[in-house]
C-alpha cells in the first residue's frame, strides 16, 4: 500500500479565505442567513467552470460573490478560518497562509481595519485550536484601481509581523496592468511583507515576468505559464521564487486540459521550487492532499519527489523556524517509513 499523502507533513501557501469554505458550511450558513444559493452551489456542486474567456471568469466571480455574502457575523468568520485550519491539519498541513481581500467584507464588519483585526485574531485562535498555524496574506484586486491596492498595502503594513505576512494581487489576470501595482507592493515590501501576486495562470509568461520585474515577487500564485518560457523558468529557479501550483484549480478553470496536463514536471525539471495549493476548494471540490494525489497519480511522481514538493512548500513559507524544522523532520520520517506499513 502507498504512503498516505494526508500524513505527509507540508505547508499550504495558496488558499483563499472565501474559497476555503467547506461546501456544507456554505449551505448551512446560507440557510441560516436566508441567502438563496444557485443550484450550481447546491445540487450541482461543484459547479462546471471555465475561465477561458471573460464570461467564464464572470460566472466564477459571481459564484464567489454569492459565497462571500453568506458570511455575516464574527462567529461565521471565526468558523471559516477554524474549519480551514482543521481541514488543513487533517491533511498534514502544519502551516497555512490564508489569502484575503478585505474590501469585499469591510462594509459588513465596520471597515477595513476592524475586519482585518478580526481575521488576525481568528487566525491566531484557529492556530491554537488546531495546531496548524495560520498567517494572513492581504490581497488586492487587480480589477480595481491601483490606489485601492495602496490603501490595502498600508493596512497590511500596519500588521506586518502581527499576523500578516504577505501582500498579494488576485482576480482576472487579463485585466489591469501589473506595473500600476508597483507602488502598493513597495509599501508592502518596506514593511517586510512577502510579495505574492498571482501570475501566469490565465495569462502567459509576460505576466509572470511583470510580477518579477515590477512587483519583485518572492512567490508567484500559479505561475504555470512559466513552463512555456525556458529563460523565464531558469530565472525563477535561480532566484528561488516559489511557484504556488494549484492543479485541481487549473483543471476546473480550464487553465490545463486535464490533471496530467498541469506542467508540474517541466517546472520541477527546470529546478523551480513548487508548493502545491488548493486555491478555492469551495468552488473546485478537492482540498490540499488531493493536489499531492494528482502529483502522484496523474503526474507519476515518486514518494521521494512528493516529499521534495512538501519540503519546498515548507521552505517557501514564512512559518517560524521551529515550525519549519518540525515539518521538515516529519517529512524525512514520512519517507523513511516503509511504504507498506502506512496508508
Ligand atoms: N481569486 C480566487 N481564486 C483565484 C484564482 N484562481 N485566480 C485569481 N484570483 C483568484
Ligand atoms: Zn488563487
Amino acid at each position: 500500500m502507498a504512503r498516505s499523502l494526508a500524513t505527509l507533513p507540508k505547508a499550504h501557501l495558496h488558499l483563499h479565505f472565501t474559497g476555503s469554505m467547506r461546501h456544507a458550511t456554505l449551505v448551512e450558513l446560507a440557510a441560516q442567513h436566508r441567502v438563496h444559493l444557485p443550484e450550481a452551489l447546491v445540487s450541482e456542486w461543484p459547479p462546471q467552470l471555465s475561465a477561458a474567456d471573460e464570461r467564464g471568469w464572470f460566472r466564477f466571480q459571481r459564484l464567489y460573490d454569492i459565497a462571500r455574502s453568506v458570511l455575516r457575523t464574527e462567529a461565521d468568520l471565526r468558523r471559516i478560518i477554524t474549519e480551514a485550519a482543521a481541514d488543513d491539519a487533517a491533511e498534514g498541513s502544519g502551516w497555512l497562509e490564508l489569502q484575503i481581500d478585505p474590501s469585499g467584507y469591510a462594509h459588513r464588519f465596520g471597515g477595513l481595519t476592524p475586519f482585518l483585526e478580526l481575521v488576525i485574531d481568528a487566525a491566531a485562535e484557529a492556530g491554537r485550536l488546531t495546531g496548524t498555524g495560520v498567517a494572513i496574506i492581504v490581497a488586492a484586486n487587480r480589477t480595481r484601481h491601483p490606489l485601492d491596492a495602496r490603501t490595502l498595502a498600508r493596512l497590511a503594513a500596519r500588521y506586518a509581523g502581527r499576523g500578516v505576512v504577505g501582500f498579494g494581487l488576485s482576480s482576472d489576470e487579463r485585466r489591469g496592468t501589473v506595473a500600476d501595482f508597483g507602488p502598493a507592493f513597495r509599501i508592502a515590501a518596506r514593511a517586510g511583507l512577502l510579495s505574492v501576486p498571482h501570475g501566469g495562470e490565465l495569462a502567459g509568461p509576460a505576466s509572470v515576468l511583470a510580477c518579477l520585474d515590477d512587483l519583485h515577487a518572492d512567490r508567484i500564485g500559479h505561475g504555470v505559464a512559466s513552463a512555456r518560457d525556458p529563460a523565464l523558468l531558469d530565472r525563477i529557479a535561480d532566484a528561488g521564487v516559489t511557484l504556488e501550483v494549484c492543479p485541481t484549480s487549473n483543471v476546473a478553470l480550464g487553465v490545463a486540459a486535464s490533471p496530467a496536463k498541469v506542467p508540474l514536471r517541466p517546472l520541477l525539471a527546470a529546478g523551480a521550487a513548487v508548493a502545491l495549493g488548493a486555491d478555492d476548494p469551495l468552488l473546485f471540490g478537492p482540498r490540499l492532499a488531493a493536489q499531492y494525489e494528482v502529483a502522484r497519480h496523474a503526474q507519476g511522481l515518486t514518494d521521494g519527489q512528493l516529499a521534495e514538493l512538501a519540503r519546498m512548500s515548507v521552505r517557501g513559507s514564512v512559518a517560524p523556524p521551529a515550525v519549519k524544522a518540525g515539518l521538515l523532520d516529519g517529512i524525512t520520517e514520512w519517507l523513511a517509513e516503509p511504504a507498506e506499513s502506512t496508508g
Side-chain angles (χ1 to χ4, degrees):
M1 202 196 298
R3 294 179 181 90
S4 164
L5 292 172
T7 61
L8 170 61
K10 54 181 86 68
H12 196 178
L13 311 186
H14 198 110
L15 182 69
H16 295 270
F17 170 72
T18 312
S20 76
M21 204 187 316
R22 291 177 186 166
H23 179 242
T25 301
L26 171 75
V27 172
E28 200 183 308
L29 290 179
Q32 192 179 318
H33 297 308
R34 298 181 200 286
V35 174
H36 173 74
L37 294 177
E39 287 311 311
L41 290 177
V42 190
S43 59
E44 292 160 18
W45 183 87
Q48 287 288 319
L49 299 164
S50 163
D53 54 26
E54 266 197 47
R55 259 187 76 228
W57 183 267
F58 182 76
R59 182 170 134 78
F60 172 65
Q61 193 60 63
R62 198 177 62 86
L63 294 174
Y64 221 95
D65 292 344
I66 294 168
R68 192 186 294 112
S69 76
V70 309
L71 300 176
R72 301 281 170 100
T73 68
E74 177 176 333
D76 297 341
L77 292 186
R78 291 188 182 277
R79 174 175 177 181
I80 298 311
I81 296 179
T82 299
E83 288 181 351
D87 290 348
D88 254 45
E91 298 195 355
S93 163
W95 179 256
L96 169 60
E97 295 178 16
L98 192 61
Q99 197 158 143
I100 185 159
D101 175 1
S103 326
Y105 290 99
H107 66 287
R108 283 194 205 278
F109 292 92
L112 288 171
T113 301
F115 173 71
L116 185 61
E117 288 193 348
L118 182 54
V119 164
I120 289 170
D121 192 63
E125 186 186 25
R128 286 191 297 272
L129 289 171
T130 65
T132 293
V134 183
I136 300 301
I137 291 169
V138 172
N141 184 328
R142 58 184 297 149
T143 70
R144 300 275 190 96
H145 198 282
L147 285 175
D148 291 342
R150 282 163 75 163
T151 301
L152 287 178
R154 275 189 219 98
L155 173 72
R158 276 178 25 223
Y159 295 92
R162 296 193 290 142
V164 177
V165 296
F167 191 67
L169 188 64
S170 59
S171 195
D172 189 346
E173 202 184 338
R174 293 159 297 204
R175 294 177 58 193
T177 303
V178 168
D180 292 347
F181 295 92
F185 276 77
R186 276 196 289 282
I187 291 168
R190 272 202 300 273
L193 296 174
L194 225 52
S195 166
V196 291
H198 284 64
E201 178 197 24
L202 306 170
S207 171
V208 178
L209 199 59
C211 288
L212 297 176
D213 286 342
D214 300 327
L215 308 182
H216 305 287
D218 297 293
R219 302 194 312 236
I220 303 269
H222 299 281
V224 283
S226 319
R228 294 185 235 146
D229 184 337
L232 173 64
L233 206 42
D234 280 349
R235 176 171 166 189
I236 286 168
D238 289 346
V241 169
T242 299
L243 302 179
E244 303 160 1
V245 176
C246 306
T248 61
S249 162
N250 288 166
V251 175
L253 290 177
V255 171
S258 69
K261 292 274 168 60
V262 177
L264 186 54
R265 295 185 75 100
L267 297 177
L268 294 173
V274 170
L276 298 181
D279 208 8
D280 301 294
L282 175 62
L283 292 178
F284 310 139
R287 302 194 79 91
L288 181 59
Q291 313 307 318
Y292 287 78
E293 296 289 352
V294 168
R296 172 183 270 169
H297 296 293
Q299 304 266 339
L301 265 57
T302 63
D303 283 6
Q305 289 171 309
L306 294 164
E308 190 52 29
L309 275 176
R311 285 193 191 99
M312 290 189 282
S313 75
V314 174
R315 292 194 198 110
S317 79
V318 292
V323 173
K324 280 191 180 180
L327 289 171
L328 292 171
D329 285 350
I331 294 167
T332 303
E333 282 165 25
W334 180 86
L335 198 56
E337 281 178 43
E340 307 80 55
S341 70
T342 57

